[in-house]
Each structure stands twice: as structure tokens, then as C-alpha cells.
Amino acid sequence: ARPRVGYFYTGKTSAQLLTEKIRQIQVKEYLSMPVLVQEDATVYDAICTMFLEDVGTLFVVNKHSKLAGVLSRKDLLRASMGNQDLNSIPVSIIMTRMPNITVCSKEDLLVEVAEKLIDKQIDALPVIKNSTDEDAFEVIGRITKTNITKALVDFSGDAII
Amino acid sequence: ARPRVGYFYTGKTSAQLLTEKIRQIQVKEYLSMPVLVQEDATVYDAICTMFLEDVGTLFVVNKHSKLAGVLSRKDLLRASMGNQDLNSIPVSIIMTRMPNITVCSKEDLLVEVAEKLIDKQIDALPVIKNSTDEDAFEVIGRITKTNITKALVDFSGDAII
């Protein structure tokens, strides 16, 4: 006999389920792996890492592997414009530093992160392990406008079903 | 007498209306202004324009003001890494050229543009005036992952109502 397959009535329309999904979706469902550089790496090294890993944002960690800073493509472009030797400048000179970094956790809502990316005019947030100690944030992920764009594509795909 | 205000029953749930909105929303509702540079501008000029206008992608136009190329932050960073005089290199050397440029029109669906941004691994698309002549695309806008992120925030706001 053929197996019984098909749709099952859940008591909710697919549209209702979609709306709930947008509101409830968490960072952990869409995050990417973080790309890290050490605080004493040079700007030249950081640019090479950015190209090799093909990311738009790098996170800088200190010798205890805790979050120390963030480097955007814009930061690196600005640095490379000056007539400086990129091999002699450490990233710690040009990065955005703690506590001026907006972070999020795996359990945060994706829509809240999207709002922060817009409000702060940045491309990515580090996802950190829950901690109350600002000096000891451990970076476990990266969430970017690319991840948010993927989420929208997924939602619209659900909608068409 | 106080005016009669309140909700009106449209026969559809707000969730259904939201789903339809995600599927139907067009590029023209979220596009930004394009930032253009001339084909004979130097890489140095382009980097300055990118910082002044605070955008991640520039569109290059020819002397007839038609789309000739696209410049990303990544293109400019790559160029600035080489030990070259940025004032002596025209952008036409480093830009992505027609016909290798993905474009969209004002009437395209935002979710389709979001899919293209993901598939092609790019940050922005030029919005062009409808034309069948590839050599004569007129750039009328810019649509980026930032615009898509804003759309998601708007949808989730609708959802909460």
C-alpha cells in the first residue's frame, strides 16, 4: 500500500505560522562562524584575512581570546588610504574597541538584531556567549545583513507554499 | 460627537495581509538613491566619494550617463593594497563591467532581489530604468542588503500590531 502523505490541519493558517516565525526567530538559527584576528596582528594581515575568508567584518580578540574590537571593511579601507606601512600598524590602532561594540547573544531575536544593524549603521554584530563581564566576552558567531537577507528569502519561500 | 474610530474587519487576518505584503513588495518601496562616478574618475576619487556618501557600492557611468560598471568596497580595498598610485588609476580598470552586472527594475519583487544578492554574493544591485538595450541602462536607484534588512524590520513591526 502507498504511504499516507499530505497536509495535516494544525488549526493555524500558514500565514499565521509565518508571522509567528518572523517574530520568534532567534539569532542562533541564522548566525555564521566568526572570523577572528589577534590584537597584535597588523592591518596588512587583517586585510589578507578578510579577503581569504571573504567576510566584511573581523572580530579582534586579546591574548585571553576575549573580544577586544571590531574591524569593518571601511576601517581597513580608511587605513590603507593613508600613506602608511600597513605591515607596521597593529589592528588595535584602527579597530572599534570595547565598550563601544554592540553585541548580541544566540537567544536574541533576529528582528532585534536587524534593528540594531540599521540604527547603528553597521554590517555585522558579534554573537557572544552569555556573560555579565564586559571584559570577558567570548565570540561564538557573527550575524550580518547577509544573514538577515537570507532570513527574508526563507520567509518568502514559506509564504509561497 | 466623537468621531467613530477603530478597526474595520476586512475579511482577512493581519497575518494573511503580512504574508501577501512580503510576496508583493516591490523594489521601488525600498530603494535608495544611487551614487555615481564617471568612468574616467580615479580610484582615489572613488574611495573619497564612497566615504563622503557613506555607501558600500558605487555605480560607474560612461560619458552618456549610462551604466558602465560597479565598484564595491572590496574592489577598492584590493586596489589600495597594491603599491600603486591611486591617483593615476581610473576606476574603469578595477570595476566589474557590463554585461557582468546584475541589475533590477523598480517593479521587481524585493524578495527576488534578495535572492540575487545572496546567489551572486554581492551587496547591492543598481536599479535601472526599463530598457532592452544593455548598452543604455540608466541608473535610477540602488538596492542593498541594508534596504532588505529595513524591510524585515518593517514586516516584523506590522506583525506585532
Side-chain angles (χ1 to χ4, degrees):
Chain A
R2 285 159 63 102
R4 285 170 61 94
V5 294
Y7 294 100
F8 296 91
Y9 182 64
T10 62
K12 289 183 179 182
T13 65
S14 63
Q16 282 172 323
L17 293 169
L18 174 75
T19 311
E20 282 176 23
K21 191 171 165 191
I22 292 181
R23 282 187 227 170
Q24 289 171 3
I25 204 143
Q26 291 180 323
V27 165
K28 62 182 161 200
E29 295 172 62
Y30 280 94
L31 57 74
S32 299
M33 290 297 294
V35 179
L36 307 176
V37 293
Q38 295 293 320
E39 213 168 7
D40 57 1
T42 66
V43 171
Y44 184 87
D45 292 336
I47 296 176
C48 291
T49 303
M50 190 170 271
F51 276 106
L52 282 171
E53 303 282 344
D54 200 22
V55 293
T57 307
L58 299 174
F59 303 126
V60 183
V61 292
N62 62 25
K63 58 181 186 288
H64 307 293
S65 299
K66 304 301 182 192
L67 180 64
V70 172
L71 288 169
S72 68
R73 260 185 205 154
K74 208 168 149 182
D75 295 328
L76 294 174
L77 186 57
R78 194 184 294 109
S80 73
M81 285 290 286
N83 288 313
Q84 312 164 85
D85 177 12
L86 300 180
N87 270 309
S88 67
I89 314 168
V91 292
S92 53
I93 302 290
I94 66 161
M95 69 189 186
T96 301
R97 315 187 144 265
M98 286 297 294
N100 301 319
I101 302 172
T102 306
V103 301
C104 66
S105 77
K106 274 195 311 187
E107 289 75 27
D108 284 351
L109 296 179
L110 195 72
V111 294
E112 286 175 355
V113 169
E115 278 175 18
K116 283 180 187 172
L117 292 174
I118 297 292
D119 288 349
K120 309 266 175 184
Q121 299 187 36
I122 50 181
D123 288 324
L125 288 190
V127 183
I128 55 133
K129 208 164 178 170
N130 283 325
S131 163
T132 51
D133 181 3
E134 275 208 355
D135 296 329
F137 281 160
E138 187 184 334
V139 184
I140 55 174
R142 171 171 63 94
I143 190 112
T144 68
K145 286 176 186 165
T146 304
N147 301 122
I148 308 281
T149 301
K150 279 182 186 156
L152 186 101
V153 169
D154 287 351
F155 294 147
S156 67
D158 286 354
I160 287 159
I161 290 165
Chain B
R2 286 160 61 103
R4 287 169 61 95
V5 294
Y7 294 101
F8 296 91
Y9 181 64
T10 62
K12 291 183 180 182
T13 65
S14 62
Q16 282 171 323
L17 293 169
L18 174 75
T19 310
E20 283 176 21
K21 192 172 164 190
I22 291 181
R23 282 188 227 168
Q24 289 172 3
I25 204 143
Q26 292 179 324
V27 164
K28 63 182 161 198
E29 295 173 62
Y30 280 94
L31 57 75
S32 298
M33 289 298 293
V35 179
L36 307 176
V37 293
Q38 295 292 319
E39 214 168 4
D40 57 1
T42 67
V43 171
Y44 184 87
D45 291 337
I47 296 176
C48 292
T49 303
M50 191 170 271
F51 275 106
L52 281 172
E53 303 283 343
D54 200 21
V55 292
T57 307
L58 299 174
F59 303 126
V60 183
V61 292
N62 63 24
K63 57 181 186 289
H64 306 294
S65 298
K66 304 302 182 191
L67 181 63
V70 172
L71 288 168
S72 68
R73 257 182 209 157
K74 208 168 148 183
D75 296 327
L76 294 173
L77 186 57
R78 194 184 294 110
S80 73
M81 283 293 285
N83 288 314
Q84 312 163 86
D85 177 12
L86 300 180
N87 269 309
S88 66
I89 314 169
V91 291
S92 53
I93 302 291
I94 65 159
M95 69 188 187
T96 301
R97 317 187 142 263
M98 286 299 292
N100 301 319
I101 302 172
T102 306
V103 302
C104 66
S105 76
K106 273 194 314 186
E107 289 74 27
D108 284 352
L109 296 180
L110 196 71
V111 293
E112 287 175 355
V113 169
E115 279 175 18
K116 284 180 187 174
L117 293 174
I118 298 293
D119 289 348
K120 310 265 175 184
Q121 300 188 36
I122 50 181
D123 287 326
L125 289 190
V127 183
I128 55 135
K129 208 165 177 171
N130 283 324
S131 164
T132 51
D133 181 5
E134 274 207 355
D135 296 329
F137 281 161
E138 187 183 336
V139 185
I140 55 175
R142 172 170 62 95
I143 191 109
T144 69
K145 287 176 185 164
T146 304
N147 300 122
I148 308 281
T149 302
K150 278 182 187 156
L152 186 101
V153 170
D154 286 352
F155 294 147
S156 68
D158 286 353
I160 287 159
I161 288 165

